C-alpha cells in the first residue's frame, strides 16, 4: 500500500502536487507538521559486516519521496490513557501528569495506540520509519557511527574505540518527563525531538553481510526496532523501560515514547482509488 | 572522508560502501598482521562431540588420548514454555539445546572448543554465549551475538582446566536470560586426568551434571503464578520479581523433581560418581545426605588440590563445583542445597538411587524402635 503510494507520488511532478492540493485539502491540523521536502545526511541503520568484520553502515544523503504529515508533539500520557480507557491499549506501569509526553511504552504499545487512533478518527496513523524520522528530525538527527576504526586482525580495536567515543559522548540525561516544548523546536517545527524521550520507529534491526564472494546478505530481526532520539538505539520491541539497556549498541535511551505519522488520504481519493 | 561518503547516494552507494569499508588508520595494513597469525589448529584432529541432555554427561576420555584436538560442538537455542513444579506453574524458558542447564561440554586442557551456536527463526530474541573458560571478547559474547535466523561459530583454546560455567549474555538482558535458563558447564579436564593432592589419579565410573537455577515467577493479585505466552510478555513482571532477589523457585535441572523418582540419578555401591554442580547466578551449598564429598574442587579448578571428606561444599554464583563420591551403602540418597528451605520448600533437591549390599560395619540398627526400657 505505502510502497504503491510512494511510487505514485514519485511519478507525479511537484507542480502536479501543488495542483493536487487544490482538489483535496491536505491536513492543516495544528497538531500536525506538514513537511513538503527535506533532505538529511543519513547513516543506514543496523549492523554491517564486511567479510565478518564489523564496519559502519553507508552514509548517504536522503530526500523525501513525498510530503509527510507528522505529529508536532509527542503523544501525551493523557492521549495514551484515552486508549487505555477504551480497552485497546495496555495500562502504563507508572502514574503521571496527563499533559506530559507519555513514557514507558514499548513498540507494541505504540503500534496499538496508532491503530486505536486510526479507528477512532477514521484516519490512517502509524509510526514513522527510521528514514522518515531522520528526515523530519533534520538537524536533530544524529549519526550513530562512533568510529571508523575496524581492523579485521584485531576486533578489540573497534570495541575500544566505540567504548571511548561513547563514554565521551555520554552526558547524564535527566529522565524526568518535561512539559511540551521544553526541548525546543526544530527547523521543521517539530517539538521536543531528541530530548529525553526516544521515539519508536517501524524499522527493524538488520544485519548486512558482505560475504567472501562479494554477495550481500541481509538478515532482519523485527523483534528489535530502532528507537530514535539524541542517538539511535536498537531496542527489544517489548521493552518499556529502556534503562535496562539498548540492544547491541551502548548507551540506553532515557525514555521511550510515541510520535505518529498520518498517511494522506487525499492523493488516493483524488486518483479515484 | 565524510564528504566523499555523503556524496554517494542510493542503493549503488550502499553496495559500494559495504564493499570498501574503512580500516583502522594506524599501521600500514592491519591485514598483514592477520596473515602473520598462523592457524595453529590447521593440522589438528577434529572431532565432533555428541552432547547429552543433563544430568547425563557426554562420553569422554578421563585421560586425554593423543595431542590437542579441535572439538566441535553444535548447540541450538530453544525458547520454550516449560512446567517447573507439581502445581503446573509455567515458565518461559530460554535454553541452550533445549535443556536447563545446557549440555555439559567436555574437552581437555589445550584442546580447542569450536561451537556453532544456532538461533532458529522460531525464537523471538537475540542470544549469545559467554564462556567463563575462554579468554577475550567477554568470554566470546561479543563474537557470538545471533539474531533469530542466524548462526555463528566461535573457536577458543581451553587454556585453563576446570569446570566452568557458560551462559547467555546479551547486552541489557544478561540477568534475565541467565535466570530464564541459559547456562551450562564446560568441563576442561587436565590432559592426564584428575589427581589428588599427592598426585595420585582420581577416576570415576559415572558423571552427572546438576545445574541449579533460581527462578523468579510473577504472581497475580490473588497470589497465583501468572501464565505468560511469550518470554516478551513475561519480561517486565519477571524483572520486577528478580530485583527483589527472592526466588519463587530454586530448582535443579529446570524443575522441581527433575532429578527425583523415575528421573533420579543412579549408581552402584563401590562406584565413584563425579558430581558437577553449576550455579550461574547465585551462591549455593550442595550436600549429599548420608554421603560425603570425597574429593571436592570447590571452585572447580583442578590445578588446586581437592579438599577431602567434606560434608557440604560451596558453589559461588557464576561457577561450577566438582566433587567425587564413592558410594559405600545402597539406598536412596538426597542431594540437596543445604539451605533446607530452598531444598524442601522451593525445590532444590535431587535423589541418587544406589544398588548394592548393605555394610553393617558402616551402619546398623542395633535395636529397632520400641518402648523405652531404660538402662
Ligand atoms: Cu539468551
Amino acid at each position: 500500500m505505502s510502497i504503491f503510494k510512494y511510487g505514485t507520488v514519485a511519478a507525479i511532478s511537484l507542480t502536479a502536487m501543488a495542483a493536487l492540493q487544490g482538489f483535496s485539502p491536505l491536513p492543516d491540523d495544528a497538531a500536525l507538521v506538514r513537511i513538503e521536502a527535506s533532505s538529511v545526511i543519513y547513516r543506514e541503520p543496523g549492523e554491517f559486516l564486511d567479510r565478518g568484520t564489523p564496519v559502519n553502515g553507508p552514509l548517504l544523503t536522503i530526500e523525501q519521496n513525498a510530503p509527510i504529515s507528522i505529529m508536532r508533539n509527542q503523544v501525551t500520557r493523557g492521549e495514551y490513557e484515552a486508549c487505555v480507557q477504551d480497552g485497546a491499549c495496555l495500562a502504563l506501569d507508572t502514574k503521571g501528569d496527563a499533559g506530559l509526553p507519555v513514557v514507558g511504552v514499548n513498540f507494541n504499545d505504540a503500534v496499538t495506540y496508532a491503530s486505536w487512533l486510526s479507528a477512532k478518527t477514521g484516519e490512517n496513523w502509524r509510526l514513522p520509519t527510521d528514514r522518515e524520522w531522520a528526515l523530519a528530525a533534520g538537524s536533530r538527527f544524529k549519526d550513530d557511527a562512533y568510529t571508523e576504526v575496524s581492523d579485521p586482525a584485531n576486533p578489540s580495536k573497534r570495541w575500544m574505540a566505540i567504548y571511548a567515543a561513547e563514554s565521551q559522548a555520554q552526558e547524564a540525561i535527566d529522565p524526568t518527563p518535561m512539559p511540551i516544548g521544553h526541548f525546543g523546536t526544530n527547523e521543521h517545527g517539530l517539538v521536543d525531538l531528541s530530548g529525553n524521550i526516544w521515539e519508536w520507529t517501524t524499522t527493524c534491526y538488520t544485519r548486512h553481510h558482505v560475504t567472501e564472494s562479494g554477495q550481500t546478505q541481509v538478515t532482519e530481526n523485527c523483534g528489535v526496532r530502532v528507537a530514535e532520539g539524541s542517538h539511535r538505539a536498537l531496542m527489544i520491541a517489548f521493552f518499556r523501560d529502556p534503562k535496562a539497556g539498548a540492544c547491541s549498541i551502548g548507551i540506553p535511551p532515557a525514555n521511550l515514547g510515541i510520535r505518529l505519522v498520518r498517511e494522506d488520504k487525499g492523493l488516493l481519493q483524488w486518483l479515484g482509488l | 572522508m565524510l564528504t566523499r561518503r555523503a556524496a554517494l547516494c542510493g542503493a549503488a552507494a550502499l553496495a559500494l560502501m559495504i564493499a570498501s569499508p574503512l580500516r583502522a588508520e594506524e599501521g600500514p595494513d592491519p591485514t598483514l598482521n592477520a596473515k602473520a597469525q598462523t592457524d595453529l589448529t590447521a593440522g589438528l584432529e577434529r572431532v565432533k562431540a555428541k552432547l547429552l541432555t543433563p544430568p547425563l554427561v557426554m562420553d569422554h576420555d578421563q585421560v586425554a588420548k593423543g595431542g590437542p584436538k579441535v572439538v566441535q560442538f553444535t548447540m541450538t537455542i530453544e525458547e520454550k514454555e516449560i512446567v517447573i513444579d507439581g502445581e503446573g506453574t509455567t515458565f518461559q524458558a530460554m535454553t541452550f539445546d533445549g535443556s536447563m542447564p545446557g549440555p555439559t561440554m567436555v574437552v581437555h586442557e589445550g584442546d580447542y572448543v569450536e561451537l556453532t551456536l544456532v538461533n532458529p527463526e522460531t525464537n523471538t530474541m537475540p542470544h549469545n554465549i559467554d564462556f567463563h573458560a575462554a579468554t577475550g571478547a567477554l568470554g566470546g559474547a561479543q563474537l557470538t551475538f545471533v539474531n533469530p535466523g542466524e548462526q555463528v561459530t566461535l573457536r577458543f583454546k581451553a587454556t585453563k582446566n576446570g569446570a566452568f560455567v557458560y551462559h547467555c549474555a546479551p547486552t541489557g538482558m544478561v540477568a534475565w536470560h541467565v535466570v530464564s535458563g541459559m547456562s551450562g558447564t564446560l568441563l576442561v579436564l587436565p590432559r592426564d586426568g584428575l589427581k589428588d593432592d599427592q598426585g595420585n589419579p582420581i577416576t570415576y565410573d559415572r558423571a552427572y551434571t546438576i545445574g541449579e537455577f533460581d527462578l523468579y515467577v510473577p504472581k497475580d493479585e490473588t497470589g497465583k503464578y501468572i501464565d505468560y505466552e511469550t518470554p516478551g510478555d513475561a519480561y517486565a513482571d519477571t524483572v520486577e520479581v528478580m530485583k527483589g532477589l527472592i526466588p519463587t523457585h530454586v530448582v535443579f535441572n529446570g524443575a522441581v523433581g527433575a532429578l527425583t523418582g523415575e528421573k533420579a540419578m543412579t549408581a552402584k555401591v563401590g562406584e565413584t560418581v563425579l558430581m558437577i554442580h553449576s550455579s550461574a547466578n547465585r551462591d549455593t551449598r550442595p550436600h549429599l545426605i548420608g554421603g560425603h564429598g570425597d574429593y571436592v574442587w570447590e571452585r572447580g579448578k583442578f590445578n588446586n588440590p581437592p579438599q577431602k571428606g567434606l560434608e557440604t561444599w560451596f558453589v559461588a554464583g557464576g561457577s561450577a563445583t566438582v566433587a567425587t563420591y564413592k558410594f559405600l551403602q545402597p539406598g536412596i540418597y538426597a542431594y540437596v542445597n543445604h539451605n533446607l528451605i530452598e531444598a524442601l520448600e522451593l525445590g532444590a533437591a535431587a535423589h541418587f538411587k544406589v544398588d548394592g549390599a548393605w555394610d553393617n560395619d558402616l551402619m546398623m540398627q542395633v535395636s529397632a524402635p520400641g518402648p523405652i526400657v531404660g538402662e
Side-chain angles (χ1 to χ4, degrees):
Chain A
M1 171 73 170
S2 66
I3 289 167
F4 168 72
K5 206 186 71 188
Y6 287 154
T8 314
V9 172
I12 301 170
S13 73
L14 277 174
T15 332
M17 286 300 298
L20 181 66
Q21 294 186 28
F23 282 94
S24 176
L26 290 161
D28 188 28
D29 192 335
L32 288 173
V33 168
R34 179 79 175 167
I35 307 175
E36 296 290 340
S38 66
S39 81
V40 71
I41 296 174
Y42 181 72
R43 177 81 63 184
E44 286 288 336
E47 283 190 86
F48 292 77
L49 294 175
D50 177 33
R51 292 159 190 87
T53 303
V55 294
N56 291 335
L59 192 67
L60 37 115
T61 302
I62 58 167
E63 281 169 36
Q64 267 181 255
N65 291 323
I68 188 171
S69 297
I70 186 164
M71 287 179 169
R72 185 180 303 278
N73 300 325
Q74 292 166 333
V75 171
T76 64
R77 178 177 284 269
E79 289 165 337
Y80 184 86
E81 288 292 355
C83 175
V84 177
Q85 292 307 314
D86 256 15
C89 290
L90 291 177
L92 298 167
D93 297 328
T94 55
K95 304 225 179 308
D97 186 334
L100 295 176
V102 68
V103 295
V105 285
N106 64 27
F107 175 78
N108 307 321
D109 296 327
V111 169
T112 307
Y113 178 77
S115 54
W116 170 81
L117 187 64
S118 299
K120 204 82 182 159
T121 57
E123 296 164 339
N124 188 4
W125 295 91
R126 61 171 176 80
L127 288 171
T129 65
D130 184 63
R131 277 186 174 232
E132 289 171 333
W133 191 93
L135 286 161
S139 59
R140 295 203 179 193
F141 175 72
K142 290 286 181 310
D143 182 8
D144 68 342
Y146 286 101
T147 178
E148 297 287 353
V149 171
S150 171
D151 182 349
N154 186 348
S156 73
K157 284 189 184 167
R158 187 172 176 87
W159 304 333
M160 303 283 274
I162 289 174
Y163 184 80
E166 282 184 347
S167 311
Q168 230 167 40
Q170 196 155 21
E171 33 185 299
I173 298 176
D174 180 354
T176 315
M178 302 306 277
I180 288 167
H182 179 84
F183 294 101
T185 303
N186 80 349
E187 65 271 30
H188 300 301
L190 275 84
V191 177
D192 294 334
L193 273 165
S194 305
N196 66 2
I197 301 175
W198 272 246
E199 299 169 13
W200 285 103
T201 77
T202 55
T203 300
C204 299
Y205 167 77
T206 49
R207 179 131 63 192
H208 304 250
H209 287 262
V210 176
T211 60
E212 292 297 338
S213 60
Q215 297 289 100
T216 302
Q217 293 172 344
V218 180
T219 46
E220 191 177 58
N221 176 10
C222 290
V224 176
R225 303 276 173 154
V226 175
E228 277 288 6
S230 68
H231 62 79
R232 185 186 266 154
L234 292 166
M235 292 299 307
I236 298 282
F238 54 75
F239 273 25
R240 281 180 152 187
D241 174 9
K243 289 185 286 290
C247 149
S248 87
I249 308 280
I251 319 161
N255 290 297
L256 291 165
I258 310 172
R259 184 192 305 267
L260 299 178
V261 165
R262 192 175 79 186
E263 292 273 9
D264 296 346
K265 297 192 293 188
L267 179 57
L268 293 177
Q269 284 170 349
W270 181 74
L271 290 171
L273 296 168
Chain B
M1 192 63 73
L2 208 88
T3 328
R4 183 178 65 82
R5 306 188 104 197
L8 295 160
C9 196
L14 187 75
L16 185 70
M17 294 317 298
I18 296 171
S20 55
L22 290 164
R23 300 298 192 195
E25 281 81 14
E26 52 196 276
D29 179 2
T31 55
L32 291 176
N33 181 18
K35 280 170 197 150
Q37 289 202 30
T38 354
D39 180 1
L40 297 176
T41 69
L44 299 185
E45 185 191 347
R46 304 176 85 82
V47 290
K48 278 201 165 59
K50 208 165 152 268
L51 293 169
L52 296 178
T53 303
L56 300 180
V57 175
M58 62 179 267
D59 273 346
H60 61 272
D61 297 318
Q62 295 185 32
V63 173
K65 291 180 180 139
K69 300 174 180 62
V70 178
V71 187
Q72 296 173 302
F73 298 88
T74 299
M75 289 205 285
T76 301
I77 294 157
E78 263 184 68
E79 296 170 9
K80 61 179 185 184
E81 183 173 295
I82 60 169
V83 174
I84 55 169
D85 60 23
E87 284 78 62
T89 304
T90 61
F91 183 71
Q92 292 296 326
M94 306 179 206
T95 67
F96 287 107
D97 240 25
S99 61
M100 286 170 65
T104 293
M105 308 160 73
V106 188
V107 300
H108 290 91
E109 189 178 340
D111 285 349
Y112 293 82
V113 174
E114 191 173 283
L115 170 73
T116 297
L117 187 64
V118 182
N119 189 0
E121 200 141 19
T122 43
N123 286 341
T124 61
M125 261 175 296
H127 301 278
N128 62 6
I129 192 163
D130 165 358
F131 281 101
H132 287 188
T135 306
L138 305 180
Q142 280 175 297
L143 297 175
T144 51
F145 191 80
V146 276
N147 288 296
E150 294 182 322
Q151 69 170 52
V152 66
T153 303
L154 176 79
R155 185 174 67 217
F156 68 90
K157 194 173 191 171
T159 55
K160 299 248 187 300
N161 72 46
F164 293 87
V165 159
Y166 64 77
H167 63 88
C168 190
T171 312
M173 320 186 267
V174 183
W176 178 49
H177 279 231
V178 170
V179 300
S180 295
M182 297 195 80
S183 70
T185 301
L186 167 64
L187 183 63
V188 183
L189 292 167
R191 294 206 81 77
D192 55 354
L194 302 179
K195 302 275 173 63
D196 69 10
D197 54 346
Q198 307 296 316
N200 303 309
I202 296 174
T203 60
Y204 45 91
D205 302 295
R206 299 164 189 260
Y208 289 114
T209 286
I210 299 100
E212 184 164 339
F213 290 87
D214 42 327
L215 306 179
Y216 303 83
V217 186
K219 292 175 187 162
D220 64 18
E221 317 74 53
T222 68
K224 263 186 57 202
Y225 290 116
I226 303 174
D227 177 40
Y228 296 95
E229 256 171 52
T230 67
D233 294 339
Y235 168 72
D237 294 347
T238 304
V239 171
E240 282 314 304
V241 183
M242 282 161 56
K243 289 197 285 198
L245 293 173
I246 301 175
T248 55
H249 298 72
V250 179
V251 299
F252 294 157
N253 293 27
V256 178
L259 298 175
T260 61
E262 293 285 291
K263 289 171 279 181
M265 297 173 281
T266 58
K268 291 188 177 72
V269 168
E271 281 183 344
T272 296
V273 174
L274 188 80
M275 299 171 280
I276 305 162
H277 192 120
S278 70
S279 184
N281 192 58
R282 197 165 165 274
D283 301 343
T284 183
R285 56 210 68 71
H287 171 89
L288 180 63
I289 302 180
H292 301 97
D294 288 339
Y295 295 98
V296 181
W297 292 268
E298 269 207 329
R299 296 305 170 107
K301 308 304 172 280
F302 306 121
N303 283 347
N304 307 304
Q307 290 174 273
K308 287 176 285 189
L310 298 192
E311 58 176 317
T312 297
W313 45 101
F314 182 71
V315 186
S319 78
T321 292
V322 179
T324 66
Y325 182 60
K326 183 178 180 180
F327 283 96
L328 303 174
Q329 289 283 42
I332 304 298
Y333 289 73
Y335 177 92
V336 299
N337 165 344
H338 210 285
N339 176 326
L340 296 169
I341 304 163
E342 296 184 354
L344 305 172
E345 302 296 334
L346 301 187
H351 293 151
F352 279 98
K353 288 187 287 193
V354 181
D355 289 329
W358 184 263
D359 181 345
N360 274 335
D361 182 47
L362 278 172
M363 184 184 281
M364 68 174 292
Q365 191 173 48
V366 177
S367 155
I372 300 169
V373 294
E375 284 303 307

